[in-house]
Amino acid sequence: MVRRRLLEGATVVLLTTVAALVASADLKEIQERQTLRHLGVPYANFVTGDGDGLDVEIIRLYAREIGVKYQYVKCSWATVIEDLSGKRVVPEGDQIRVIGKSPVRGDIIGNGLTVMAWRKKLINFSHPYFPTAVWLLAGEDSDLQPIRPSGDMGQDIEATRLLLHGKQVLGKRNTCIDPMFYALKGATAVYDDSLNLNDLAPAVIKGHTELTILDVPDTLVALAKFPGKLKVLGTVSEKQVMAFGISKDSPKLLESFNRFLEELRKSGKLRVLIEKYYPAIALYFPEVRKN
């Protein structure tokens, strides 16, 4: 009888542990745990990998606001959504196909996460805080020349697409810079799983590929890091926005974080942080100055 009770007790502990692995935490549980887990992919200047970055600073400030410790959980682009949602999926356009479950490893995603339709089916997004778009880049030696901006985003996108006929375009699968999301007719999408997002601009510079697409913040970092080595040919997307990702099972956390983000915006601190890491952003998106 004693052995049976011990086994039953062990089973309860095991099941509780498993539940903790797959369940998301809302604000109360995070405060009881005394730790906010930041899921982040080292990318551009959002998460530098050296303990700082725009999103790192914002989430650290929020952790202090709610009285808990900050913990960084390093992720990859291939897993960061499932690390929050607990679901393994295959994106299919704006839809998803669920293929399994995954342990929940954190509470909030912050790494320059672009709001996309398929992602919204898995997680909630905070209020947007960073404007972006997807641009086409080539090396300085490319024969292709930048389009002449028309003032009409739709016309600029079509003009950029015309440059791509018969070309190969390097991208990153299932991210905001996957060529398959932008109807680049006449072009061939190329993927190299050995490259992360930070490697795409250097791949163009080294001549491994002629063209790639990058989002605005990554482009700004690349242009500053490799002056005179790259040229922006045009845009392949309408204006997009970036936001923080929060589990659909954490409504109180979402509400609290949105309130904090708006207070950060009204105080002017958000604008200061954005311009600290992206000093040229207002040249392309003047609305940042209103943050």
Side-chain angles (χ1 to χ4, degrees):
M1 179 65 70
V2 172
R3 182 180 179 184
R4 179 179 178 182
R5 288 177 178 173
L6 288 173
L7 289 173
E8 289 175 346
T11 301
V12 170
V13 171
L14 178 61
L15 291 175
T16 301
T17 302
V18 172
L21 284 173
V22 299
S24 298
D26 207 349
L27 182 61
K28 180 180 178 181
E29 289 76 20
I30 291 168
Q31 290 177 316
E32 290 175 348
R33 186 207 302 144
Q34 286 290 297
T35 302
L36 178 68
R37 300 169 299 173
H38 169 199
L39 297 167
V41 181
Y43 176 58
N45 284 346
F46 294 101
V47 177
T48 66
D50 295 324
D52 62 355
L54 175 59
D55 287 11
V56 173
E57 289 208 40
I58 291 173
I59 297 177
R60 280 187 184 277
L61 287 172
Y62 177 66
R64 188 184 308 168
E65 175 76 11
I66 61 175
V68 301
K69 297 178 181 178
Y70 167 89
Q71 179 185 350
Y72 173 62
V73 181
K74 185 177 180 180
C75 302
S76 70
W77 285 107
T79 66
V80 67
I81 301 296
E82 68 184 56
D83 289 339
L84 179 67
S85 69
K87 296 178 180 178
R88 296 178 57 229
V89 305
V90 175
E92 297 178 339
D94 289 345
Q95 305 301 315
I96 58 171
R97 176 164 50 90
V98 179
I99 60 174
K101 295 182 179 180
S102 180
V104 172
R105 301 178 60 223
D107 308 304
I108 182 170
I109 298 173
N111 44 228
L113 189 66
T114 299
V115 176
M116 302 181 73
W118 73 267
R119 289 172 174 168
K120 291 170 72 173
K121 296 182 182 303
L122 289 164
I123 63 175
N124 285 328
F125 282 96
S126 71
H127 294 332
Y129 72 108
F130 200 101
T132 186
V134 177
W135 290 347
L136 178 67
L137 277 75
E140 60 175 340
D141 296 330
S142 172
D143 292 335
L144 296 177
Q145 298 302 314
I147 67 166
R148 185 182 298 274
S150 68
D152 182 291
M153 184 70 78
Q155 290 184 26
D156 290 348
I157 290 172
E158 288 305 313
T160 304
R161 286 174 175 168
L162 288 175
L163 299 176
L164 289 166
H165 186 73
K167 299 289 187 178
Q168 293 185 333
V169 184
L170 180 64
K172 190 69 175 174
R173 202 183 309 274
N174 297 332
T175 68
C176 68
I177 57 168
D178 186 336
M180 300 303 292
F181 287 118
Y182 301 105
L184 304 182
K185 298 178 180 178
T188 302
V190 177
Y191 307 99
D192 184 341
D193 292 336
S194 69
L195 302 177
N196 62 43
L197 291 181
N198 298 325
D199 296 329
L200 302 191
V204 170
I205 293 171
K206 294 174 183 177
H208 297 327
T209 183
E210 182 181 5
L211 301 170
T212 190
I213 55 174
L214 294 179
D215 61 20
V216 169
D218 201 19
T219 300
L220 296 182
V221 170
L223 292 175
K225 188 175 182 179
F226 307 108
K229 299 295 184 180
L230 295 163
K231 52 186 175 183
V232 178
L233 301 180
T235 182
V236 299
S237 81
E238 297 283 350
K239 179 181 172 182
Q240 300 174 332
V241 292
M242 291 176 168
F244 294 85
I246 294 175
S247 170
K248 288 185 177 293
D249 295 326
S250 306
K252 295 298 183 182
L253 177 62
L254 178 63
E255 178 183 353
S256 172
F257 186 78
N258 275 338
R259 186 164 55 247
F260 161 80
L261 200 57
E262 288 308 304
E263 290 172 356
L264 202 65
R265 190 190 311 276
K266 289 178 182 178
S267 70
K269 291 180 180 178
L270 179 59
R271 175 184 57 79
V272 171
L273 285 172
I274 290 175
E275 292 189 326
K276 172 183 176 180
Y277 288 100
Y278 298 95
I281 186 66
L283 296 176
Y284 305 95
F285 295 98
E287 62 266 34
V288 166
R289 291 285 171 85
K290 298 178 182 179
N291 282 336

